[in-house]
Amino acid sequence: FPSQTSTTTTNNMADALTHLLLRSCEISCNPSSLQQRLVAGARNSSKYEAKMVGAKEQCIQGCLFASKAQELMTKTQKSQARAYEASLASTSDSAVMDRKDTAKAKESIREWFGLMRLACFERCETYCASSENPYKCQRSCAVGCDKFFDVIMED
């Protein structure tokens, strides 16, 4: 059963990494110290505190959507993602790639992440449609999407 164990280990590792990225994203959604000082200082009121908490919660929702972006993709997006995956699978993991092939592989990865970001943004739009202020909600939620993927794509 070595292949079964390997798949289970890979799934557990992928779940652990996704959870770790999600937690990191959630932490990065915390308002900046400047924003916190503004609320605590001149604009100290429960109204502004609630706005700050609301923006953080919407950002965290974006993180959650980003962590499930592959599942949120449309059929067309999933088809495109499979094409990117296939192009990446065409080379051996241990093969030394020349600069041109490396650039091509990185572009495929960026395109794939672009599809997942788009799926995340679209889910934010749906999620925020009934919000009191849909635009601000979408913006905060989209920030969460970006924070999740930016950690991965720091290259």
Side-chain angles (χ1 to χ4, degrees):
F1 305 115
S3 64
Q4 215 173 18
T5 305
S6 176
T7 303
T8 303
T9 303
T10 302
N11 288 341
N12 290 342
M13 179 61 87
D15 290 344
L17 288 173
T18 300
H19 181 72
L20 184 61
L21 287 169
L22 180 58
R23 290 297 297 143
S24 174
C25 182
E26 290 169 349
I27 291 167
S28 68
C29 283
N30 201 53
S32 70
S33 57
L34 176 61
Q35 289 171 313
Q36 291 181 41
R37 280 192 301 248
L38 285 172
V39 170
R43 299 179 355 173
N44 190 13
S45 74
S46 58
K47 174 184 167 187
Y48 290 110
E49 179 75 23
K51 279 185 174 182
M52 190 168 57
V53 169
K56 180 175 180 178
E57 288 172 351
Q58 292 156 354
C59 180
I60 288 172
Q61 195 63 47
C63 295
L64 182 62
F65 293 151
S67 73
K68 299 175 183 298
Q70 190 74 21
E71 301 163 22
L72 300 174
M73 284 186 189
T74 64
K75 282 185 178 184
T76 304
Q77 290 168 332
K78 285 180 181 179
S79 176
Q80 290 173 307
R82 281 191 295 276
Y84 293 128
E85 186 177 15
S87 74
L88 292 169
S90 63
T91 61
S92 168
D93 289 343
S94 61
V96 176
M97 300 165 66
D98 64 28
R99 205 162 88 186
K100 181 181 171 185
D101 291 337
T102 302
K104 187 177 175 181
K106 284 184 177 184
E107 183 59 27
S108 289
I109 291 170
R110 275 191 289 278
E111 292 292 332
W112 192 351
F113 276 121
L115 289 172
M116 289 194 289
R117 277 184 202 255
L118 181 60
C120 186
F121 295 155
E122 289 169 348
R123 183 65 178 99
C124 284
E125 186 176 7
T126 304
Y127 171 76
C128 293
S130 62
S131 173
E132 184 178 306
N133 190 335
Y135 174 73
K136 284 186 178 181
C137 176
Q138 288 172 21
R139 189 176 63 197
S140 295
C141 186
V143 165
C145 296
D146 283 336
K147 287 182 181 292
F148 185 90
F149 290 113
D150 287 347
V151 169
I152 300 169
M153 290 305 295
E154 288 178 354
D155 184 31

